[in-house]
Amino acid sequence: MTQVHPAGPLPAPKTKRGERTRQKILDAAEREIGARGFSDASIATITAEAAVAQGTFYLYFRSKEEVLRELVLRMGRRLRHHLTRATMDAPDRLQAERLGIRAFLQFVRDNPNLYRVVAESQFVDPAIHRAYYEEFAAGYRAGLEEAETRGEISAGDAEVRAWALMGVTDMVGRRYSLYDEHGPLDAAAEAAYDFIARGIAPAPSRRDRHG
């Protein structure tokens, strides 16, 4: 599913110092690609931002594309960890959705460059861009299926629902976390949750409820 470099990734650094250098390069690449876009960011600008020699880059990565792939994986790991922590105490699935939306919006605001890197990846490595969403959707689908079994949500197609819910939070995140960097997030999160929990159908009137 994920496109891998023909020779595979370079081995992980054997020392803590090497790992710190590798992370410095990744952090710099996140800032550069997030701010400039993949095409305008270069190995020269990334290493300058990281304050390391260009030759050092090739001790840890074969190409700029390989760095991008690693950053997409980083986004996935960080986001899943963030959402797991935010929703672990939710009493049911609907409350998990509510907490998850708010946590997602905060994550995007706190990590705008990393979020933009994932968007850039669709033009550079469509396979890893697709894999990022498919892996996230697989976990989402499993959670919805379990919630349906427990009677916490209505019956429905968990695969379609997973992608639809991801689409809602993704677009709301762009509007209220990326495009509006300083506005309050609570109201946007609550409005998105209300849409997810209740939809856009009108509420039944008193007459409808009582026949």
Side-chain angles (χ1 to χ4, degrees):
M1 185 163 54
T2 300
Q3 181 178 329
V4 179
H5 191 283
L10 291 173
K14 295 181 180 180
T15 66
K16 290 182 179 180
R17 180 179 179 182
E19 181 57 31
R20 285 195 299 269
T21 300
R22 184 176 186 274
Q23 291 304 315
K24 277 181 62 177
I25 294 170
L26 283 170
D27 291 342
E30 178 185 324
R31 294 191 294 271
E32 284 290 297
I33 296 173
R36 297 171 178 262
F38 183 82
S39 296
D40 290 338
S42 67
I43 291 173
T45 63
I46 290 169
T47 51
E49 175 69 17
V52 300
Q54 285 194 48
T56 302
F57 177 94
Y58 294 102
L59 297 176
Y60 304 98
F61 303 101
R62 289 190 170 88
S63 65
K64 190 172 60 166
E65 289 78 8
E66 189 172 293
V67 169
L68 181 80
R69 296 181 193 112
E70 179 60 32
L71 289 175
V72 172
L73 294 175
R74 171 190 277 195
M75 172 70 173
R77 290 192 299 267
R78 287 185 178 177
L79 179 56
R80 285 191 292 271
H81 178 72
H82 181 72
L83 294 180
T84 297
R85 287 179 60 85
T87 61
M88 61 190 303
D89 294 327
D92 56 45
R93 185 68 204 189
L94 284 179
Q95 288 307 307
E97 292 295 330
R98 181 181 230 155
L99 295 171
I101 293 168
R102 181 60 178 81
F104 178 82
L105 296 185
Q106 191 65 57
F107 182 90
V108 173
R109 179 167 288 180
D110 292 343
N111 299 272
N113 288 328
L114 199 53
Y115 195 66
R116 293 186 187 105
V117 165
V118 174
E120 285 279 308
S121 71
Q122 67 183 305
F123 306 110
V124 180
D125 190 336
I128 200 165
H129 181 263
R130 177 174 175 172
Y132 168 82
Y133 284 103
E134 287 181 337
E135 289 168 8
F136 200 91
Y140 213 149
R141 182 185 66 241
L144 292 173
E145 289 171 343
E146 292 170 5
E148 182 181 328
T149 299
R150 295 191 299 266
E152 295 175 358
I153 60 174
S154 62
D157 188 319
E159 177 75 5
V160 172
R161 285 178 165 183
W163 285 90
L165 290 168
M166 287 163 53
V168 169
T169 52
D170 183 42
M171 289 296 103
V172 173
R174 290 173 186 270
R175 166 62 179 82
Y176 291 97
S177 296
L178 281 186
Y179 305 157
D180 181 359
E181 300 176 1
H182 305 292
L185 295 179
D186 290 340
E190 280 300 305
Y193 169 74
D194 182 74
F195 171 72
I196 288 171
R198 299 176 180 84
I200 58 174
S205 67
R206 183 184 298 256
R207 181 177 180 180
D208 292 335
R209 289 196 299 267
H210 297 287

